[in-house]
Amino acid sequence: MSDQPGTPAQGPGARRDDRSAAGQQDAEPVHPWQGGTMTGRGVPADRYAAAPAQAEEGNGRSHDRLRPRPLERPEVDPAQRHAFARPDGVSGSFDPQRHGLPPRGIEQAPPAPDALVQAFGRPPHGSDPLQRAPGEEPMTPETEPDPALWNSGDRDPWRNPAAGAILGPPAVAEPQSGDDGDREPGPLLSAREVLFGRRVHPRALAILGVLALLVGLAGGFLGRITAEEGNPLVNPDVTLAEVDQGASDRPRGSVSQVAQRVVPAVVSIEVRIGGQGGSGSGVVIDGDGYVVTNNHVVSMAADTPNAQVSTVFHDGTRAPARVVGRDVKTDLAVLKVEVANPTVAQLGDSDKLKVGDDVIAIGSPLGLAGTVTTGIVSSVHRPVRLAGEGTDTNAVIDAIQTDAAINPGNSGGALVDGSGAVVGINSAIRTLGSGGEGGSIGLGFAIPIDDVRRIAQELIRTGTVRHADLGVNVKSVSDGLADGAQVQNVRDASAAAGGGMAEGDVIIKVGDRKVGSADELIVAVDRYQVGDRVPVTVVRQGRELVLDVTLS
């Protein structure tokens, strides 16, 4: 066994022998704390070298002792040594705070660009090591720092370290709108905040007070003037009649509403022959400028070369007119006026009229254009003979009787129902004065629009109208029980002669319409067209007979 330090033992056997020898000898025990530094297995360093000698004295031979194995130190990378080695002149574990030493091999980055230095660098002659937001001032000893969040009374679990964990909704940022119009309005100020909360500048409050005072003065001044001017109306000694406020509302179908729609379609007709003239009314029935009126209104100018016929519309527009055609047996005529886009009346259905229906008469009575009167239908299918003095009119009409005020000048005007449709052409009145000079007594007569439509269409097409004729002369008779039209004579080759009608027969029905007079026979026959085969009921020697007559 070698005495050199670091020499390994000879093997496991030598170690066992050494242990047995040590156990047999009476050696002084060795304690770890007795002098020197601990090495090996607790043997003091100053006695480590004497251990082999003692063994030899006790046993008479030399024994090897275990020595510490040498430290294996791997090679250190030069780059790591350069980065992590102690700096020059440093022997301890920590480098004392020394300034001004040269850099220890740390590579410096290249200088920043001027733009970045200008944007993010420390301001010139500035000593503040922190970069602050624009306008933020560094804290000075005079500035009292804000209390910590958890001591300020605010409760923000995101910044309070003592707040407990709470499971809440996702922390999603609310979308921000760049448009000022999308921002929600702020809270409104109350009167107390405006006056006493110091939220409004005192000068603004003073201006508002002055404006309110001026408005009050102006209102009081105007109120005084109004009260003085309207003193008779508010005089407590005067009692005013009550007015229904709802009555001023004009529902659709009222007289005013109907008049506004129909009056533009009614015209005034003026006829002049030298120094003489006449007037009447007319209704525009076609967009081409056709106007229907009574024959007796224009008959005086029909055959006179120098006669002038003109129409005057509701807005004052005057236009010349020419006679297209006229029918003396129905007292109707059609004029043509060259105007652009006239207002055309809507024609109704006269067969649907019932006694008691409201009607409106529109025309130019006594030269007063646009006159509107109201009334009701007092009778229908009233045979009325029209004998216009000074005209060639000799007609019997199946008239609509009304109590609406109709006066001279209303002839040719419109009789309108509650919906605004024209149901008749006003033609005649019944008066109490001599010569027909009296005014309205509540008995007016209009030609049914169904007959007017048929006659006007025929006049526009051909200029004349063909009427069916029975070919008899009759008179009105009554036996106290029944009325009728008695045949006075039968013309040769007439429709009555062909149907076997004889003198003395009393006609009591034509078709399904009863006949009670001579005028009623005329209107009953006129409802049919030429060539129609019509059953005619007659009374002959007390017996009723039905004769089939083909109208000629």
Side-chain angles (χ1 to χ4, degrees):
M1 180 175 181
S2 175
D3 294 334
Q4 297 298 328
T7 303
Q10 295 298 324
R15 183 178 298 177
R16 288 193 298 269
D17 294 340
D18 180 57
R19 289 177 179 176
S20 62
Q24 294 177 2
Q25 70 176 359
D26 296 331
E28 182 181 359
V30 179
H31 298 280
W33 56 82
Q34 291 181 355
T37 303
M38 293 290 294
T39 61
R41 298 192 178 191
V43 180
D46 56 354
R47 300 180 63 183
Y48 181 80
Q54 294 175 358
E56 291 179 357
E57 293 176 358
N59 299 327
R61 56 182 181 150
S62 177
H63 296 280
D64 292 336
R65 291 289 187 183
L66 294 178
R67 296 179 182 276
R69 303 176 71 177
L71 298 177
E72 296 181 1
R73 298 180 181 274
E75 294 295 334
V76 180
D77 184 34
Q80 295 182 1
R81 182 187 300 278
H82 180 75
F84 300 103
R86 289 191 182 95
D88 296 337
V90 177
S91 59
S93 301
F94 298 95
D95 185 10
Q97 296 182 356
R98 289 180 295 173
H99 302 283
L101 295 177
R104 297 175 293 178
I106 300 177
E107 297 181 0
Q108 298 292 330
D114 294 340
L116 297 179
V117 172
Q118 184 178 1
F120 303 101
R122 183 181 293 108
H125 309 292
S127 60
D128 193 354
L130 297 178
Q131 183 179 7
R132 302 184 182 277
E136 181 182 2
E137 297 295 336
M139 183 179 299
T140 60
E142 293 80 6
T143 304
E144 296 182 1
D146 295 334
L149 178 66
W150 45 87
N151 294 330
S152 62
D154 297 337
R155 297 297 180 183
D156 189 351
W158 294 100
R159 301 181 60 185
N160 186 359
I166 299 176
L167 183 60
V172 180
E174 297 182 357
Q176 298 180 357
S177 175
D179 189 4
D180 294 341
D182 296 340
R183 297 179 180 176
E184 296 183 357
L188 301 178
L189 299 179
S190 63
R192 182 176 181 180
E193 291 177 339
V194 172
L195 297 177
F196 309 107
R198 297 182 180 180
R199 304 291 295 274
V200 180
H201 198 277
R203 184 178 301 173
L205 288 177
I207 294 175
L208 290 176
V210 172
L211 291 178
L213 181 61
L214 293 177
V215 172
L217 292 176
F221 180 72
L222 294 177
R224 180 177 179 81
I225 294 177
T226 303
E228 291 178 354
E229 293 182 354
N231 189 36
L233 296 181
V234 297
N235 191 340
D237 298 333
V238 177
T239 301
L240 297 179
E242 295 184 1
V243 176
D244 185 4
Q245 298 297 332
S248 60
D249 298 335
R250 298 178 178 87
R252 184 175 180 84
S254 63
V255 175
S256 61
Q257 291 289 337
V258 172
Q260 290 178 5
R261 297 196 305 268
V262 182
V263 165
V266 179
V267 299
S268 299
I269 299 176
E270 297 180 356
V271 179
R272 292 187 179 275
I273 302 175
Q276 298 180 353
S279 64
S281 305
V283 181
V284 181
I285 61 173
D286 189 86
D288 293 333
Y290 289 103
V291 178
V292 65
T293 184
N294 285 135
N295 174 67
H296 70 264
V297 174
V298 298
S299 61
M300 60 183 301
D303 299 328
T304 305
N306 59 349
Q308 296 180 356
V309 180
S310 60
T311 57
V312 181
F313 291 81
H314 77 291
D315 58 355
T317 302
R318 183 182 296 271
R322 64 180 179 86
V323 179
V324 175
R326 59 195 185 96
D327 182 31
V328 298
K329 291 188 175 181
T330 57
D331 194 26
L332 291 175
V334 175
L335 307 180
K336 181 69 164 62
V337 183
E338 299 300 334
V339 292
N341 193 24
T343 301
V344 180
Q346 183 175 354
L347 306 184
D349 188 355
S350 57
D351 282 344
K352 294 182 179 179
L353 285 178
K354 302 296 182 183
V355 175
D357 288 347
D358 293 331
V359 289
I360 303 170
I362 303 175
S364 303
L366 306 175
L368 304 175
T371 299
V372 177
T373 58
T374 62
I376 63 170
V377 176
S378 55
S379 181
V380 294
H381 300 298
R382 176 80 70 186
V384 176
R385 181 173 292 274
L386 304 179
E389 297 183 0
T391 68
D392 57 358
T393 299
N394 185 16
V396 178
I397 61 174
D398 192 20
I400 301 170
Q401 181 178 314
T402 177
D403 66 346
I406 297 176
N407 289 281
N410 271 120
S411 297
L415 186 68
V416 184
D417 63 7
S419 66
V422 179
V423 293
I425 298 297
N426 300 320
S427 300
I429 60 174
R430 185 66 57 87
T431 64
L432 297 178
S434 61
E437 297 296 334
S440 173
I441 61 172
L443 293 175
F445 305 98
I447 303 173
I449 199 63
D450 293 343
D451 297 338
V452 175
R453 184 187 292 107
R454 175 173 56 87
I455 299 300
Q457 291 176 353
E458 190 69 19
L459 290 175
I460 293 173
R461 285 196 303 265
T462 64
T464 60
V465 179
R466 297 175 59 196
H467 293 276
D469 185 23
L470 191 57
V472 295
N473 294 328
V474 296
K475 68 175 182 178
S476 300
V477 295
S478 176
D479 60 359
L481 297 177
D483 300 330
Q486 187 178 31
V487 177
Q488 299 297 307
N489 58 68
V490 179
R491 293 193 296 270
D492 295 338
S494 62
M501 193 173 297
E503 295 181 4
D505 290 345
V506 179
I507 302 173
I508 60 174
K509 184 183 290 187
V510 175
D512 57 353
R513 178 166 179 170
K514 294 182 178 181
V515 175
S517 64
D519 290 341
E520 197 162 355
L521 176 63
I522 295 175
V523 298
V525 173
D526 195 57
R527 293 173 59 90
Y528 296 94
Q529 302 293 328
V530 176
D532 290 346
R533 189 176 181 86
V534 181
V536 178
T537 304
V538 301
V539 177
R540 181 180 298 172
Q541 297 178 356
R543 293 183 303 171
E544 291 187 4
L545 300 176
V546 178
L547 306 176
D548 290 335
V549 178
T550 301
L551 300 178
S552 60

